[in-house]
Amino acid sequence: MKITSIEIKQYMIPLDPAFHASWDPTPRKKFGTTLVYVHTDEGITGIGSGDLMTGFAGHEHLFIGQDPFAIERHAQIIDNIDFHYGRCWPLDLALWDLMGKATGLPVYKLLGGRSDRMLAYASTGELVSPEVRAERAEAFVEQGFKAMKIRFHNQDPRKDIKVVEAVRKAVGNKLDIMVDANQGWKMPWDVERTWDVKMAYQVAKELEQLNVVWLEEPLPSHDFEGMAALRQKVGIRIAGGEMNREWHDFREMYRHGSLDVYQPDVALTGGITQIRKIADMVQMGGHWFTPHSWSNGIGFLANLQLSCGLSTCPYFEFPYDPPTWTPERRDFVQQEKFNVDSDGYLVLSDKPGLGFELDPEVLEKYEIKNAYIWGTD
């Protein structure tokens, strides 16, 4: 089998009502998805998604004519492109989808087949009042969720802590609670000061009293020593790594003892090929591995396939904050919208590859007509 062409297409849907992301003061009124298609001479096509593929143009010849199963070679080239130009890891996901389809196996079985399911935590994305968040948390309990994540981003973290207090009072011990401090990285416009170790410590001690499972990204993502110092001072787990771009960042986090919970996203960093090695490393050290999964529906599935293949962490992130963030929006290019079952589990099928089918009507309606195709055809 040989790769004959690589095709990149973009799609965009309007969001009404808008999604008010906690990390961005500008309401999100549209949502886009970039798809990468890898075609072969045997008629099998792998599909990946998760980032814009910026910087790929001009490098297509490095893949055309190659065996798609030479995944370590391909990942090295994508890593080189990442260093010089941009993140093109959706190509790695497309290759894993292709390998799964060629072998007739779901990706999680290619990666170890530990389980076909993970317990979801509802990962919220908006800043809302304590009363609204508590009401939504009660709805999560009714839907079968066993855990949820609350995002911080108020200038005064005491306002954020009040949200956690309201949720804990409303649901008691029916939900495990995680907190994302959103201090690890910044949007381009953001020039506000991030937390230092002392602020992160004060917040962590408050959250300990509320029985929070982990505090995510309490410090900038490059502050390996600061996170290690914080981790030694508090009883709550420290999580992070969702936007760290280099594999050696995770080596250094591991060496410093920065984290209890490692969260690299295969759609944004390293692809499945590199992140599976990071997962093995941190789990052998007794830490949790559970990826960030907020790119889109296909990126979500790729991270879930990897987690089901090898993760021992009890929870997996399910981006969910209705009415403004739902599977219907996240998975808009897919025929089936992925949701939890009545017991709060995310259950993978035995469909080969990443396990999805595209919706041709949606693709036709929302395609941005400037596709790129590179190949021998």
Side-chain angles (χ1 to χ4, degrees), residues 21-26 152-155 181-195:
S22 64
W23 56 91
D24 190 347
T26 303
F152 282 17
H153 218 64
N154 283 295
Q155 286 191 335
N182 272 146
Q183 300 295 310
W185 50 272
K186 291 176 174 289
M187 296 292 288
W189 50 264
D190 189 351
V191 296
E192 294 298 320
R193 179 180 175 84
T194 53
W195 293 359

Side-chain angles (χ1 to χ4, degrees), residues 141 146 167-177 210-211:
V141 173
K146 305 299 187 295
V167 170
R168 180 59 77 203
K169 182 177 180 180
V171 302
N173 293 322
K174 295 177 183 177
L175 287 176
D176 282 343
I177 298 174
L210 294 166
N211 197 27

